[in-house]
Amino acid sequence: MQYRRLGSSGLQLSALSFGAWVTFGSQIGRDESRNLVAAAWDNGVNFFDNAEGYAKGRAEQVMGDVIADLRLPRDGFVVSSKVFFGSAEDPAPTQRGLSRKHVTDACHAALKRLRVEYLDLYYCHRPDPETPISETVLAMDTLVRQGKVLYWGTSEWSGAQIAEAVAFARANHLYAPTMEQPQYNLLHRQRVEQEYAPLYADAGLGTTIWSPLASGLLTGKYNDGIATDSRLGQPSLEWLQTAVLGEPAADRLGKVRRFSALAAELGESPAQLAIAWCLRNPNVSSVILGASRVSQLEENLRALDVLERVDAQDWQRIEAIFG
Ligand SMILES: NC(=O)c1ccc[n+]([C@@H]2O[C@H](COP(=O)([O-])OP(=O)(O)OC[C@H]3O[C@@H](n4cnc5c(N)ncnc54)[C@H](OP(=O)(O)O)[C@@H]3O)[C@@H](O)[C@H]2O)c1
């Protein structure tokens, strides 16, 4: 495993980390979840990602249970939560968003579910147009000073919104956001590479990026259809199928088919190649992997080896497919 600093902070995250979205508390059972966390840990993963909204809080419950069961040392792992979507079945106005109230309540609930005394990382899962950014920065600063959160950040905020939060924090001697959690993969790169560019140097922003495989699309598993035991085959995730495959005119599948053929020519697994491509970006602090079974995770964790095998010319050929 390789470890990278989270932006300009002193926290070292494993370059490959592991998240619970869609899988924990819904798609997979408790035993498979335990096996996945154990496999990740045994391979040097030290960061486990979660959110209040994942399976309405059940993903955090399962992760907390499994981490306790595996007796992972608290000073050896990093665990996150995110606030915004709420964990209630039908959230009341005070049970979602980024108000001081919900940011505080959601933190307390995540601590209980994850069975920890502090969250290492706590993200604002989306921007909240109904709450001033200053209120959220102040709420996060309070949680940091109370020792309930170590580093706070954002997820899918615009560059301008992050810059506003940083400026308000600096002007008032408050803790500023340390990291952003954006989507980043071969099919989705503008924000990480262009929009956030000034924030890496100016604000020391780190990034923990999500969906490195575009929900599995970049493995090539959807090249010839959608299997019922795959993520996009789940009836409850019909919206995701549209988002991932795109409109017919988007030709995302066509690009992935060409990418799969190139991977075969290079003798590489498309999944490993796509994850390695994310790792090549020095502004990526950690690539958050998702997996529904241990064999997938074990394959994906070997992506770091690809960096030693693929040369600049072949990376250019890959870029040309998606360009
Ligand atoms: N902040 C946010 O808004 C946000 C949003 C999304 C995700 N995230 C975080 O990022 C993490 C990773 O995102 P993601 O799960 O979308 O990552 P991903 O790597 O794009 O997709 C993971 C899924 O692809 C399939 N897969 C993975 N490796 C495979 C392999 N080698 N062969 C075949 N299929 C494979 C599995 O689904 P199937 O087996 O079911 O097909 C797996 O669950 C999440 O768990 C979450 O922690 C954050």
Side-chain angles (χ1 to χ4, degrees), residues 13 20 46 48 52 101 131 175-176 227 229:
L13 296 183
N46 72 359
F48 299 95
E52 63 165 353
K101 176 164 176 62
T131 304
Y175 284 99
D229 67 346

Side-chain angles (χ1 to χ4, degrees), residues 8-312:
S8 61
S9 82
L11 186 66
Q12 304 256 354
L13 296 183
S14 48
L16 297 171
S17 44
F18 181 58
W21 182 53
V22 184
T23 51
F24 282 43
S26 52
Q27 188 185 356
I28 62 173
R30 194 261 184 202
D31 288 349
E32 191 66 11
S33 306
R34 185 186 189 279
N35 293 341
L36 283 160
V37 171
W41 177 257
D42 289 346
N43 282 281
V45 167
N46 72 359
F47 166 34
F48 299 95
D49 185 61
N50 223 313
E52 63 165 353
Y54 293 173
K56 301 278 177 199
R58 290 193 307 279
E60 290 185 336
Q61 265 165 356
V62 173
M63 190 174 266
D65 176 31
V66 158
I67 285 176
D69 188 17
L70 292 168
R71 297 173 197 270
L72 303 192
R74 185 66 190 95
D75 56 357
F77 70 87
V78 169
V79 71
S80 72
S81 183
K82 309 187 200 81
V83 53
F84 177 76
F85 292 105
S87 57
E89 212 42 66
D90 185 14
T94 55
Q95 292 177 319
R96 64 184 308 284
L98 298 180
S99 67
R100 168 175 281 271
K101 176 164 176 62
H102 186 59
V103 165
T104 306
D105 288 338
C107 175
H108 292 167
L111 292 174
K112 279 205 193 92
R113 287 191 292 255
L114 288 164
R115 303 197 207 173
V116 289
E117 289 184 347
Y118 63 88
L119 299 173
D120 300 271
L121 309 181
Y122 192 34
Y123 298 87
C124 300
H125 210 158
R126 291 292 179 270
D128 179 4
E130 300 291 319
T131 304
I133 283 179
S134 55
E135 178 174 333
T136 304
V137 177
L138 278 159
M140 285 293 186
D141 177 80
T142 302
L143 291 172
V144 174
R145 285 175 205 273
Q146 289 174 341
K148 292 172 186 164
V149 168
L150 301 188
Y151 305 88
W152 78 273
T154 57
S155 180
E156 295 297 340
W157 281 30
S158 71
Q161 288 164 328
I162 298 170
E164 185 182 333
V166 169
F168 179 77
R170 281 186 180 158
N172 294 283
H173 306 287
L174 305 170
Y175 284 99
T178 298
M179 68 289 175
E180 155 66 38
Q181 186 170 133
Q183 182 179 175
Y184 186 55
N185 54 55
L186 277 160
L187 289 153
H188 189 102
R189 40 195 299 198
Q190 191 275 342
R191 216 169 211 181
V192 165
E193 294 182 4
Q194 288 163 41
E195 188 176 327
Y196 295 156
L199 293 164
Y200 303 129
D202 299 353
L205 194 75
T207 63
T208 59
I209 66 102
W210 60 268
S211 286
L213 298 175
S215 271
L217 181 63
L218 288 160
T219 66
K221 71 192 295 175
Y222 298 112
N223 285 359
D224 303 311
I226 301 176
T228 48
D229 67 346
S230 64
R231 181 180 289 184
L232 298 189
Q234 293 185 61
S236 61
L237 295 176
E238 222 170 283
W239 64 271
L240 187 65
Q241 195 186 115
T242 313
V244 169
L245 296 178
E247 299 303 324
D251 195 30
R252 287 162 69 94
L253 255 181
K255 288 176 185 169
V256 175
R257 288 189 185 116
R258 291 201 291 282
F259 171 63
S260 305
L262 179 50
E265 182 195 320
L266 299 175
E268 299 289 350
S269 118
Q272 290 176 1
L273 205 52
I275 293 164
W277 177 86
C278 300
L279 286 165
R280 293 182 78 231
N281 184 333
N283 294 313
V284 169
S285 317
S286 188
V287 173
I288 311 177
L289 304 175
S292 66
R293 55 204 82 167
V294 171
S295 56
Q296 293 174 351
L297 185 62
E298 284 177 340
E299 175 182 354
N300 299 351
L301 285 167
R302 290 195 300 273
L304 278 157
D305 303 342
V306 172
L307 293 175
E308 289 157 24
R309 292 196 294 264
V310 175
D311 63 25

